[in-house]
């Protein structure tokens, strides 16, 4: 074997196998485990007291050193009934971040910072065809210091979509529309917000976050509306990478689901746009039809993974970043001028199965993917290595929630 091949083989052999983190519990039990697993190895990192059948909502920090999870304290009630806890994976130590938070997934900003929602008040619907309205605040904590960043009044709901290069992307449903918003972390925008649901605290420092910002502790810059959701309040399964948001939603005729994307402008571009009517309008772009089931997209180093109906089952597909960039460059170009072949360029089918399949998370290299497969009333958690075609089952209890892949678990 040549020296070059020997070196490559040695590097591959030295690459550590990542650990899959997930929450594991059995029905009607009052405890849950945070587990790190490989196909033939499993470690319980932490045992939590929980409400039976209420799995905590967990999110891993971008650096992979801290796990933030929200635990329910009241059955079947989300508003201000959660307890937000940080779990240091290296030291195996927990700390309480906040109480009385909404019992929904937090947004992990860094090993030391996390954001969450709290419902301040609710107003019951006045008519039978309306929904309850709420005032919801977005809070963040950095190194134990809690701050309110923005407050939404008279809305139906708000959700984290993810962290883009230019700030936090939010999905907000109001009585008038469902739309995506950006909370940039640049002071130039504090006076420029065009959002109808903004109440910004001007002197509140922003936590250190996994975004492209050179200066820490910048004041919040207000909320900027990006674009309306393509088909109303049915968007879901958000994931963000760099300047692109991906999500699933129904088609306009409500007959099937589709994979959509939205390019999130940088701060300089947003500043240049201002309130100018001549600036091009931001719109979401449909990338692929996915059938009756939502695509559940996730991002990896190599591209975007999503599920699409195929025959009596589903296929897991991957679009590489070059083709996604090309699709983004074509946004706004009339469909008649776009080549039909562009829709499938750079796309690869990784796996096909009967029943349904969801990609849950991938390791940093994109070489290992955790997938949930369900058929005939049964569900299983799979460890898949697409390059080698290896598929192995991770044994779990009755209820589990995959979190992400990490390295260095001892």
């Amino acid at each position: 074997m040549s020296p070059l091949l020997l070196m490559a083989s040695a590097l591959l052999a030295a690459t550590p196998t990542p650990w899959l983190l997930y929450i594991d519990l059995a029905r009607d039990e009052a405890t849950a485990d945070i587990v790190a697993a490989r196909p033939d190895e499993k470690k319980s990192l932490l045992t939590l007291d929980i409400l039976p059948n209420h799995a905590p909502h967990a999110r891993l920090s971008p650096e992979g050193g801290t796990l933030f999870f929200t635990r329910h304290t009241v059955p079947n009630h989300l508003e201000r009934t959660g307890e937000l806890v940080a779990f240091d994976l290296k030291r195996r130590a927990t700390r309480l971040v906040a109480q009385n938070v909404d019992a929904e997934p937090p947004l992990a900003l860094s090993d030391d910072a996390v954001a969450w929602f709290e419902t301040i008040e609710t107003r019951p619907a006045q008519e039978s065809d309306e929904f309850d309205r709420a005032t919801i605040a977005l809070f963040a904590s950095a190194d134990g210091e809690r701050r309110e960043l923005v407050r939404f009044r008279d809305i139906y709901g708000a959700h984290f979509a993810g962290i883009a290069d230019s700030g936090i992307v939010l999905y907000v449903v109001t009585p008038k529309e469902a739309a995506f918003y950006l909370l940039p972390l640049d002071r130039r925008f504090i006076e420029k917000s065009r959002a109808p649901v903004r109440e910004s605290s001007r002197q509140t420092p922003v936590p250190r976050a996994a975004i492209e910002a050179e200066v820490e502790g910048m004041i919040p810059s207000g909320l900027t509306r990006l674009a309306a959701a393509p088909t109303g309040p049915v968007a879901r399964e958000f994931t963000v990478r760099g300047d692109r948001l991906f999500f699933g939603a129904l088609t306009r005729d409500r007959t099937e689901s589709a994979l959509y994307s939205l390019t999130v402008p940088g701060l300089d571009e947003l500043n240049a746009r201002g309130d100018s009517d001549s600036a091009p309008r931001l719109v979401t772009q449909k990338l692929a039809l996915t059938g009756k089931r939502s695509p559940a997209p996730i991002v990896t180093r190599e591209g975007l993974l999503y599920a699409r109906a195929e025959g009596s089952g589903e296929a897991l597909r991957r679009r590489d970043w070059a083709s996604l960039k090309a699709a983004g460059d074509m946004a706004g170009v009339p469909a008649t001028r776009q080549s039909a072949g562009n829709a499938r360029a750079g796309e690869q089918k990784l796996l096909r199965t009967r029943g349904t399949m969801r990609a849950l998370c991938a390791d940093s290299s994109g070489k290992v993917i955790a997938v949930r497969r369900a058929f005939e009333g049964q569900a299983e958690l799979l460890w898949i290595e697409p390059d080698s075609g290896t598929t192995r089952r991770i044994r779990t209890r009755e209820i589990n929630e995959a979190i992400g892949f990490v390295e260095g678990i001892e």
Side-chain angles (χ1 to χ4, degrees):
M1 183 179 291
S2 70
L4 185 61
L5 289 177
L6 283 172
M7 183 180 297
S9 299
L11 288 173
L12 288 173
T15 302
T17 302
W19 293 87
L20 172 62
L21 289 184
Y22 64 94
I23 294 177
D24 203 24
L25 62 148
R27 297 188 188 280
D28 303 323
E29 289 192 2
T31 60
D33 291 328
I34 295 177
V35 176
R38 293 167 172 166
D40 301 315
E41 192 174 1
K42 181 184 296 186
K43 296 181 180 182
S44 179
L45 305 182
L46 180 67
T47 298
L48 307 169
D49 293 328
I50 62 166
L51 294 180
N53 305 317
H54 286 68
H57 301 295
R59 294 294 184 266
L60 185 65
S61 66
E63 301 94 326
T66 304
L67 186 66
F68 295 96
F69 60 88
T70 305
R71 158 167 67 182
H72 299 256
T73 61
V74 177
N76 304 316
H77 188 74
L78 299 179
E79 292 81 10
R80 296 179 65 84
T81 61
E83 184 180 68
L84 180 57
V85 179
F87 177 45
D88 186 311
L89 291 170
K90 184 176 182 179
R91 297 190 299 112
R92 307 281 177 88
T94 62
R95 61 180 173 86
L96 180 64
V97 177
Q99 293 178 303
N100 302 320
V101 307
D102 287 359
E104 296 184 345
L107 181 68
L109 301 173
S110 72
D111 279 346
D112 304 312
V114 61
W116 68 91
F117 291 111
E118 292 184 16
T119 298
I120 306 303
E121 62 178 354
T122 57
R123 181 160 62 87
Q126 301 299 311
E127 304 291 341
S128 59
D129 59 346
E130 291 185 352
F131 297 97
D132 293 348
R133 301 187 185 188
T135 296
I136 300 175
L138 190 163
F139 287 88
S141 173
D143 294 322
E145 187 174 4
R146 165 191 168 116
R147 299 290 182 180
E148 180 178 342
L149 300 186
V150 69
R151 183 171 293 203
F152 307 91
R153 295 189 182 277
D154 202 35
I155 65 171
Y156 292 148
H159 305 276
F160 292 117
I163 306 172
D165 288 342
S166 48
I168 298 173
V169 182
L170 301 166
Y171 176 62
V172 181
V173 182
T174 73
K176 293 184 178 180
E177 67 169 0
F180 295 102
Y181 290 82
L182 178 70
L183 181 61
L185 302 183
D186 187 301
R187 61 172 54 91
R188 289 174 296 173
F189 293 92
I190 194 167
E191 302 292 345
K192 299 286 187 180
S193 172
R194 290 173 287 142
V197 290
R198 168 181 172 259
E199 180 186 68
S200 181
S201 177
R202 301 189 179 202
Q203 298 303 318
T204 301
V206 170
R208 180 162 52 91
I211 65 167
E212 293 181 354
E214 296 180 357
V215 182
E216 296 180 2
M218 291 160 45
I219 61 175
S221 51
L223 201 66
T224 301
R225 181 186 181 279
L226 296 176
T231 53
V234 291
R236 66 196 70 181
E237 301 163 337
F238 311 105
T239 187
V240 177
R241 180 186 187 269
D243 66 348
R244 295 290 293 278
L245 162 69
F246 302 96
F247 61 97
L250 295 176
T251 54
R252 294 192 182 279
D253 60 7
R254 301 295 201 271
T255 60
E256 57 183 326
S257 294
L259 172 68
Y260 293 87
S261 73
L262 173 67
T263 298
V264 180
L267 298 181
D268 290 339
E269 181 180 345
L270 282 174
N271 190 43
R273 284 171 175 267
D275 293 319
S276 172
D277 293 334
S278 62
R281 186 167 60 97
L282 295 175
V283 294
T284 57
Q285 181 186 13
K286 183 167 64 178
L287 296 178
L289 295 174
T290 58
K292 296 296 183 182
R293 299 278 291 181
S294 192
I298 65 170
V299 295
T300 73
R301 182 181 298 176
E302 296 184 349
L304 180 75
L305 300 177
Y306 69 97
R308 194 174 76 184
E310 187 168 302
S312 60
E314 287 188 337
L316 182 63
R317 293 181 171 270
R318 178 169 61 201
R319 290 279 297 273
D320 63 41
W321 290 117
S323 69
L324 289 166
K325 182 182 185 303
D329 292 341
M330 293 296 287
V333 176
T336 54
R337 293 174 53 194
Q338 298 185 30
S339 168
N342 288 340
R344 296 291 173 264
E347 183 171 289
Q348 176 186 6
K349 181 164 66 176
L350 301 181
L351 181 68
R352 184 183 182 279
T353 185
R354 57 183 175 140
T356 62
M357 178 169 46
R358 287 292 174 271
L360 304 173
C361 53
D363 75 323
S364 59
S365 68
K367 302 300 183 183
V368 183
I369 305 168
V371 172
R372 176 170 290 112
R373 181 172 61 185
F375 58 92
E376 297 179 353
Q378 302 294 320
E380 56 186 357
L381 181 60
L382 301 179
W383 173 291
I384 296 178
E385 299 172 17
D387 290 347
S388 65
T390 302
T391 298
R392 288 176 283 185
R393 183 178 180 181
I394 300 293
R395 297 194 176 276
T396 65
R397 290 190 279 176
E398 295 170 282
I399 303 172
N400 59 83
E401 179 181 327
I403 302 168
F405 286 92
V406 296
E407 299 177 0
I409 296 293
E410 298 177 358

